[in-house]
């Protein structure tokens, strides 16, 4: 589903390379995890894939179902099924959470040539999904992420994912800042969406999330590339010994 | 002030033209205003409150021809239709003249509505016409307002004795290419009365409109204006208001397009416990110069004032905000707030702000803030990453920016009409 091939990217206004030949393939139906030290480029990878300004791809590429992801506008990537749960969700004063969600869903449907969802159907859809994530009506009415606690913001990201039903979901440290119960709600939210047509790329620092969301493959990222890949046991190895041993081994 | 030249605005006409059927008190008020205008003279760019705005289009001998600004805006009539669903009593002014045939029957429960030509039957207006304007000439002169009081050819005298049965809506229409109109309204709310006044449309190629409002004790005055959307029009408006104890004034102005718009407000909170909220949303593109000059004076204890002004500017448009909260020594427990913000959609747009606090009381809470900035890149990307096309995401963020000003409109149906106009403008000014 998602193929990243020898991707090199640098910051556009500073001469600083961050991704230095990253290769990764995520098949439909699978869950891949990426772990790696702070600053290794995990969020940068997610932003380059989602289409944020400020990066220059100097070599390599990325495709979603064979389509050249990097040639598309961010909104076209979203309509094609790519979703990024932000490490730091953005606050948008003045835009109600519900209005935002409905506008987003209908924009994607329109881009795919599908009919818009009626206000009544939408309300029902969101209520159900919000309940499962313990998001109350008050939070849905408030402006997007404004004044939300760290954990509420992360749950709101998963609500968006649940409503938009993307096919390729990238979760950037969605587990950071979550209490034990919220972690379980978020993991359940992810597991509910797991199916043969959908894939996940879960960026995390902790084994804990991976206890709930069993990954098929775990990658270790360091200095802009994947330096090791393995099964779930690789995450346990990181948890026990940190990155020093793994990095020493590949150096 | 430049005292050498007499006031010529608007247009080259006698300062105090004859007004048929004018009662003695009105003739005297007009003549006094004529003398006032002469003493004040013409404003120049050197005057403290004209540094950011060139008064030339208001002073020019002839009104501009809005059709020269390009084809009439596609939004012609958009203003009137956005407010079509409001169950109001409508009074139509075309090119500055009251069109009785196009207007509703002016009889309205709780309210007396007369035209300026019927001033002889509105003795109460003697205490209002030109009085608030004259008081509003210090400390900052407002020469166009004095010229208006002297030269107005039409207007309304509205007195609410109790709660108005319906809102009163003034619809300004413009038929001829070049029209130069001076309108002067007086609004009096008796103690405990309630009135909503809506003003919609452009009205003339060049329009000077002065509204003097007296809000009696405990009375509630709501005011919503939608100026525009004519590209080349020139407008000078003045709102003079005086509030008695516990009175409430909420005034909101939407401006879409217009070559030059100068909206001045001079509001005095004269009785304890009064509330004055003034808000505005202005959207302009290209040859657009929009100026809010707002002066709120706290004369009594425990009053609340709020100024929330937002401007969306692009393609060389200029926004100006000059706002003052003036708190006299006796006005303890004042709660004053002022916010002026501009959203600059490109690098050609400009925002010039002069926020001022002048406080002589020691137990007050006053704050002000002024910002100018572009659309936030992080928010724009977040929306696009969720699938909103760039134009749609930008439109949503523009509306979000204006939301705080629109929220000042107390009546939901009027707020919806304003939102519809905003959406319409944004939809026609994409890319
Ligand atoms: N806009 C920027 N300006 C300067 N440096 C940047 C910018 N964006 C990223 N970087 C740098 O690029 C490197 C990779 O950052 P990135 O956020 O991708 O790391 P990460 O792996 O997500 O880290 P973490 O685990 O802490 O979230 C870091 O050294 C970071 O400081
Ligand atoms: Mg990161």
């Amino acid at each position: 589903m998602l193929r990243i091939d020898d991707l090199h990217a640098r910051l556009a206004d500073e001469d600083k390379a961050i991704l230095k030949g990253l290769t990764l393939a995520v098949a439909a139906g699978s869950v891949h995890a990426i772990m790696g030290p702070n600053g290794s480029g995990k969020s940068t990878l997610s932003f380059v894939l989602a289409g944020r300004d400020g990066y220059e791809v100097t070599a390599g590429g990325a495709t979603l179902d064979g389509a050249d992801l990097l040639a598309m506008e961010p909104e076209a990537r979203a309509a094609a099924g790519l979703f990024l749960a932000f490490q730091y969700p953005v606050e948008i004063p003045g835009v109600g959470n519900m209005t935002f969600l409905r506008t987003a869903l209908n924009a994607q449907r329109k881009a795919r040539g599908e009919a818009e969802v009626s206000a009544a159907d939408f309300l029902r859809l969101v209520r159900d999904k919000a309940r499962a994530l313990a998001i109350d009506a008050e939070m849905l009415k408030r402006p997007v992420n404004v004044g939300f606690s760290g954990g509420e913001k992360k749950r709101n990201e998963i609500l968006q994912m649940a409503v938009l039903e993307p096919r390729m979901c990238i979760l950037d440290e969605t587990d950071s800042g979550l209490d034990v119960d919220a972690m379980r709600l978020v993991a359940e939210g992810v597991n509910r969406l797991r199916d043969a047509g959908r894939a996940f790329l879960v960026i995390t620092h902790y084994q804990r999330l991976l206890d709930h969301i069993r990954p098929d493959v775990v990658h270790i990222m360091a200095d802009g590339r994947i330096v090791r890949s393995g099964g779930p046991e690789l995450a346990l190895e990181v948890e026990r010994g940190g990155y020093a041993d793994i990095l020493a081994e590949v150096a | 002030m430049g005292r050498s030249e007499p006031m010529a605005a608007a247009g080259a006409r006698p300062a105090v033209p004859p007004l048929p059927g004018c009662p003695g008190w009105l003739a005297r008020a007009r003549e006094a205003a004529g003398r006032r205008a002469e003493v004040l003279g013409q404003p120049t760019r050197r005057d403290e409150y004209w540094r950011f705005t060139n008064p030339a289009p208001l002073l020019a001998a002839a009104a501009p021809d809005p059709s020269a600004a390009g084809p009439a805006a596609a939004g012609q009539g958009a203003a009137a239709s956005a407010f079509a669903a409001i169950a109001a009593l409508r009074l139509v002014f075309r090119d500055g003249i009251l069109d009785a045939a196009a207007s509703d029957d002016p009889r309205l429960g709780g309210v007396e509505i007369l035209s300026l030509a019927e001033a002889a039957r509105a003795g109460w207006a003697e205490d209002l016409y030109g009085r608030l304007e004259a008081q509003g000439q210090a400390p900052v002169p407002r020469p166009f307002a004095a010229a208006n009081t002297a030269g107005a050819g039409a207007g309304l005298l509205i007195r609410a004795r109790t709660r108005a049965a319906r809102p009163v809506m003034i619809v300004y229409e413009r038929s001829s290419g070049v029209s130069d109109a001076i309108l002067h309204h007086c609004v009096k709310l008796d103690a405990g009365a309630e009135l909503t006044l809506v003003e919609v449309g452009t009205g003339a190629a060049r329009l000077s409109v002065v509204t003097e409002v007296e809000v009696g004790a405990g009375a509630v005055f709501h005011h919503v204006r939608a100026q525009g959307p004519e590209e080349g029009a020139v407008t000078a408006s003045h709102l003079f208001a005086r509030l008695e104890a516990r009175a409430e004034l909420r005034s909101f102005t939407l401006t879409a397009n217009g070559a030059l718009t100068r909206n001045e407000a001079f509001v005095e909170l004269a009785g304890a416990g009064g509330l004055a909220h003034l808000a505005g949303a202005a959207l302009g593109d290209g040859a657009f110069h929009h100026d809010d000059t707002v002066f709120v004076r706290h004369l009594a204890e425990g009053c609340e004032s709020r100024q929330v002004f937002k401007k969306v500017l692009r393609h060389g448009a200029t926004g100006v905000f000059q706002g003052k909260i003036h708190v006299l020594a006796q006005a303890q427990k004042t709660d004053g707030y002022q916010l002026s913000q501009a959203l600059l959609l490109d690098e050609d747009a400009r925002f010039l702000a002069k926020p001022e606090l002048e406080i002589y009381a020691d137990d007050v809470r006053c704050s002000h803030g002024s910002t100018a900035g572009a659309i936030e890149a992080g928010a724009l990307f977040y929306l696009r990453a969720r699938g909103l096309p760039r134009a749609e995401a930008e439109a949503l963020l523009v509306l979000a920016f204006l939301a705080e000003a629109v929220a000042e409109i107390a009546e939901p149906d009027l707020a919806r009409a304003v939102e519809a106009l905003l959406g319409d403008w944004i939809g026609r000014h994409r890319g």
Side-chain angles (χ1 to χ4, degrees), chain A residues 144-194:
Chain A
V144 179
N145 293 328
V146 177
F148 286 25
S149 75
E152 286 170 345
K153 284 180 183 169
K154 298 301 181 76
R155 274 188 281 146
N156 202 33
E157 294 290 286
I158 300 304
L159 173 65
Q160 292 166 34
M161 186 172 83
V163 168
L164 297 171
E165 299 186 322
R167 295 171 42 254
M168 181 66 232
C169 309
I170 304 173
L171 278 63
D172 190 359
E173 291 196 34
T174 302
D175 52 338
S176 300
L178 291 182
D179 65 37
V180 181
D181 296 330
M183 168 92 75
R184 192 178 35 79
L185 288 176
V186 163
E188 283 169 10
V190 171
N191 288 332
R192 261 195 302 278
L193 280 173
R194 282 180 84 156

Side-chain angles (χ1 to χ4, degrees), chain A residues 2-20:
Chain A
L2 176 69
R3 294 192 74 91
I4 306 168
D5 186 30
D6 191 32
L7 187 63
H8 289 71
R10 61 184 193 93
L11 294 174
D13 24 292
E14 277 168 69
D15 191 20
K16 181 174 179 179
I18 299 179
L19 302 182
K20 303 172 182 173

